[in-house]
Amino acid sequence: MDIKGMRYFISAAENLSFTKAALEQKVTQTAISLSISKMEEELGFQLFSRKNRSVQLTEAGRDFYEHIDYVVKKYEEAVEHGLKTSTGKSGEIRLGVPDCIMGMSLIPSFRIFQSSYPQLNLKVLIVPPHKIMQAITTREIDAAIGFPYEFESNTTLEHRIFRNDKLLVALAQNHPLAKSSDLNLEQLNAQTVTVVHPQKSPLIHQYMCNIWAKAGFAPNKVIHAATLDDAIIEVAIGNAIMLITEHSKSFCNSSLTFHNPRALDALHVEIAVAWNKNLNNPILKGLVWALVEEFQYSPELSVPKHDAI
């Protein structure tokens, strides 16, 4: 029994005529008759009682019609939904971000995406940095936000850089250097700096160390925090200072103050979105477009506009 045969039966049941069903389905009357006879043989009971040139549903046929009509409608809904998903008109995409602050800093991009694709669902998941790569490999998430340095090591992924963030110095408001007009490298290197523990994401840690080295930033002492939230608390209570991206500062603890010292002008970090190379998802293209559009659209990224997806 196939979906075509089910449609033939529904049409015959609603018209109580094989001839009208044939016209409606654009096939011959013989095709309708043979299909229904085959269906009755498979089911083991009669669907129609045939008298002269008229047909009537049997009691079993009426019951079967009520159930099969629901099945066919659900099938057609499933096909329609699948088509919308395949063309980017419907569906869901799961995006992994390494912490709440990064997620909050991307809200303008998420709003662009949702306004352009109101019928799509963007699900943002907070995934610990050391589990991001595993989550995207196992398809727990469809895409991930992070540093290109970590994505480049995985040959199964594609990534696009969509943001180049300046690094600022975050301090407690009562920190001795909080009111300094311009912090110099000697002052900064004498401080205790807090970072997320290297074991949480070794590649990210190495990336940050390389950036620090280029700028000559070599702090006197480093406190390893379990999470970014823990690191921010260390800063807020005055135990350390930390470097944080410019786009993230608005979502940090209000008790912090931020400096943009000329000594660290060279400190920038690139933020990227990555996904599996085998994932051909038009919804994902829309999300990448929204991220790039918010942070200065770049034609060389080859991300199509949303009306072309």
Side-chain angles (χ1 to χ4, degrees), residues 97-99 125-135 200-201 226-227:
V97 296
D99 53 68
L125 304 171
I126 306 301
V127 182
H130 63 295
K131 292 185 177 180
I132 282 276
M133 298 299 284
Q134 177 186 344
K200 294 295 183 180
S201 190
T227 66

Side-chain angles (χ1 to χ4, degrees), residues 244-255:
I244 196 156
T245 61
E246 186 174 23
H247 281 97
S248 298
K249 73 174 185 178
S250 300
F251 306 100
C252 287
N253 192 299
S254 59
S255 64

Side-chain angles (χ1 to χ4, degrees), residues 104-125:
M104 293 292 286
S105 73
L106 295 172
I107 284 177
S109 297
F110 297 157
R111 286 176 175 163
I112 288 177
F113 176 76
Q114 290 184 322
S115 65
S116 300
Y117 302 90
Q119 69 278 35
L120 305 180
N121 180 35
L122 174 62
K123 190 172 184 178
V124 180
L125 304 171

